[in-house]
Amino acid sequence: MNPPRISPVPLPDDTIETLLDTLTRQHYCVIDQVIPAELVHSLHELALARQQSGQMHQAGTSKAAIANPALRADQIAWLEDNDPHPSVQHYFALLAELQHLINRHFMMGLDSVEAHFAIYPAGSSGYATHLDQFSHHRHTIATGARALTATLYLNEDWTPDAGGELRLYLDEHAQAPGQEAAHLDISPLGGRLVLFLSARFWHAVLPAKHPRVSVTGWFKTR
Ligand SMILES: O=C(O)CCC(=O)C(=O)O
Ligand SMILES: [Fe+2]
């Protein structure tokens, strides 16, 4: 991506410390209340506006991106780093700041980021258990692999009974784990940012009663 046009809002030092420390220990982390509420609100409005104006399409699975709503129910719209909307600029700036911090701390060699809005409709079945790395990246030495997943939830008044949790399987598994494997269910609360190593964590999105809105991004290696 090109450098963002809006300079990053510096993340508070204690947030950075917690984030890096948690990622070191767990290889995933859940951060609340770091993204300004106005940004969350404005991204939410923008996602809905893009859906209403027909700019979203049914997401696919696998490299061929074949749409299969039984496996994956969301509609998505990719974000461009030159999108003139200030909220998109602001969010890309924040991702750039995270990329810089993580590279400096872990030398992960993150080189670019891609991101899309996702809306799972009310009553959707979610997204079946998967890894965010394509298998050709897992089994070969390939460039441009997704290394770190970053999802920001935009659901401002989400209640636990609405479901829609991100189910993160905690142990490494060669194949998709069964539902009973050790996991953490993370509610998609507005302003919550979840980071995890893309190749390490199998995960799923559970059925949601209400429309479930997010921005999902992936930092990629060179
Ligand atoms: O929205 C989420 O919680 C995760 C979405 C996801 O797994 C994906 O888009 O690959
Ligand atoms: Fe995923």
Side-chain angles (χ1 to χ4, degrees):
M1 71 180 265
N2 297 320
R5 277 180 281 156
I6 295 179
S7 46
V9 182
L11 290 167
D13 283 349
D14 55 339
T15 303
I16 294 171
E17 205 173 305
T18 309
L19 186 152
L20 295 174
D21 183 54
T22 312
L23 274 181
T24 306
R25 281 184 292 106
Q26 305 182 149
H27 304 133
Y28 72 87
C29 101
V30 181
I31 318 162
D32 288 325
Q33 286 161 357
V34 168
I35 317 288
E38 314 80 70
L39 178 60
V40 173
H41 180 73
S42 144
L43 287 170
H44 185 254
E45 299 278 292
L46 185 63
L48 296 182
R50 292 201 173 166
Q51 184 183 46
Q52 258 159 27
S53 60
Q55 295 178 66
M56 293 222 166
H57 61 274
Q58 192 65 40
T61 53
S62 82
K63 192 159 184 277
I66 300 156
N68 182 348
L71 286 179
R72 175 168 187 188
D74 56 331
Q75 292 192 347
I76 63 169
W78 286 97
L79 294 171
E80 300 295 335
D81 56 11
N82 61 1
D83 188 314
H85 196 286
S87 304
V88 177
Q89 286 294 308
H90 190 155
Y91 193 56
F92 271 118
L94 216 137
L95 291 174
E97 185 186 359
L98 281 174
Q99 179 177 312
H100 174 73
L101 282 170
I102 288 167
N103 275 342
R104 214 177 46 190
H105 197 81
F106 299 110
M107 285 175 274
M108 272 183 83
L110 305 176
D111 181 54
S112 62
V113 67
E114 58 182 8
H116 63 55
F117 281 131
I119 302 185
Y120 292 77
S124 76
S125 56
Y127 192 159
T129 306
H130 67 281
L131 278 181
D132 282 350
Q133 257 193 15
F134 296 125
S135 58
H136 69 275
H137 279 147
R138 256 176 282 147
H139 302 304
T140 57
I141 299 174
T143 56
R146 289 174 169 180
L148 185 72
T149 304
T151 299
L152 172 67
Y153 299 107
L154 305 176
N155 310 294
E156 289 169 295
D157 298 311
W158 200 259
T159 52
D161 69 307
E165 293 90 349
L166 167 66
R167 175 162 290 182
L168 196 67
Y169 289 96
L170 296 173
D171 299 322
E172 288 191 68
H173 299 272
Q175 304 290 332
Q179 298 258 341
E180 69 295 344
H183 62 259
L184 190 68
D185 284 344
I186 303 166
S187 192
L189 303 181
R192 174 169 279 176
L193 178 70
V194 179
L195 299 171
F196 59 88
L197 293 184
S198 309
R200 158 79 173 71
F201 290 94
W202 290 88
H203 57 284
V205 176
L206 302 186
K209 273 194 199 163
H210 304 309
R212 178 192 190 273
V213 188
S214 59
V215 192
T216 295
W218 294 272
F219 295 101
K220 303 201 291 184
T221 52
R222 212 158 279 144

mmCIF file of all heavy atoms in Angstrom, residues 127 130 132 203, ligand 2:
data_model
loop_
_atom_site.group_PDB
_atom_site.id
_atom_site.type_symbol
_atom_site.label_atom_id
_atom_site.label_comp_id
_atom_site.label_asym_id
_atom_site.label_seq_id
_atom_site.Cartn_x
_atom_site.Cartn_y
_atom_site.Cartn_z
ATOM 1 N N TYR A 127 -19.497 -18.173 9.494
ATOM 2 C CA TYR A 127 -18.393 -18.573 8.615
ATOM 3 C C TYR A 127 -17.814 -19.848 9.233
ATOM 4 O O TYR A 127 -17.418 -19.853 10.401
ATOM 5 C CB TYR A 127 -17.359 -17.431 8.584
ATOM 6 C CG TYR A 127 -16.267 -17.481 7.523
ATOM 7 C CD1 TYR A 127 -15.590 -16.323 7.162
ATOM 8 C CD2 TYR A 127 -15.886 -18.665 6.903
ATOM 9 C CE1 TYR A 127 -14.580 -16.322 6.206
ATOM 10 C CE2 TYR A 127 -14.880 -18.680 5.947
ATOM 11 C CZ TYR A 127 -14.224 -17.506 5.605
ATOM 12 O OH TYR A 127 -13.218 -17.519 4.670
ATOM 13 N N HIS A 130 -12.067 -22.195 9.632
ATOM 14 C CA HIS A 130 -11.067 -22.057 8.552
ATOM 15 C C HIS A 130 -9.797 -21.408 9.081
ATOM 16 O O HIS A 130 -9.764 -20.901 10.198
ATOM 17 C CB HIS A 130 -11.650 -21.198 7.414
ATOM 18 C CG HIS A 130 -11.886 -19.774 7.810
ATOM 19 N ND1 HIS A 130 -12.985 -19.387 8.542
ATOM 20 C CD2 HIS A 130 -11.151 -18.646 7.614
ATOM 21 C CE1 HIS A 130 -12.927 -18.085 8.774
ATOM 22 N NE2 HIS A 130 -11.809 -17.601 8.230
ATOM 23 N N ASP A 132 -6.911 -18.407 7.798
ATOM 24 C CA ASP A 132 -6.902 -17.289 6.854
ATOM 25 C C ASP A 132 -5.778 -17.376 5.822
ATOM 26 O O ASP A 132 -5.685 -16.512 4.962
ATOM 27 C CB ASP A 132 -6.775 -15.957 7.615
ATOM 28 C CG ASP A 132 -8.108 -15.547 8.225
ATOM 29 O OD1 ASP A 132 -9.138 -16.175 7.913
ATOM 30 O OD2 ASP A 132 -8.107 -14.592 9.012
ATOM 31 N N HIS A 203 -10.434 -20.676 13.082
ATOM 32 C CA HIS A 203 -11.488 -19.860 13.679
ATOM 33 C C HIS A 203 -12.767 -19.962 12.857
ATOM 34 O O HIS A 203 -12.737 -20.415 11.702
ATOM 35 C CB HIS A 203 -11.036 -18.401 13.816
ATOM 36 C CG HIS A 203 -10.618 -17.768 12.522
ATOM 37 N ND1 HIS A 203 -9.406 -18.035 11.921
ATOM 38 C CD2 HIS A 203 -11.255 -16.895 11.699
ATOM 39 C CE1 HIS A 203 -9.319 -17.352 10.797
ATOM 40 N NE2 HIS A 203 -10.438 -16.646 10.629
HETATM 41 FE FE FE B 2 -10.966 -15.790 8.860
#
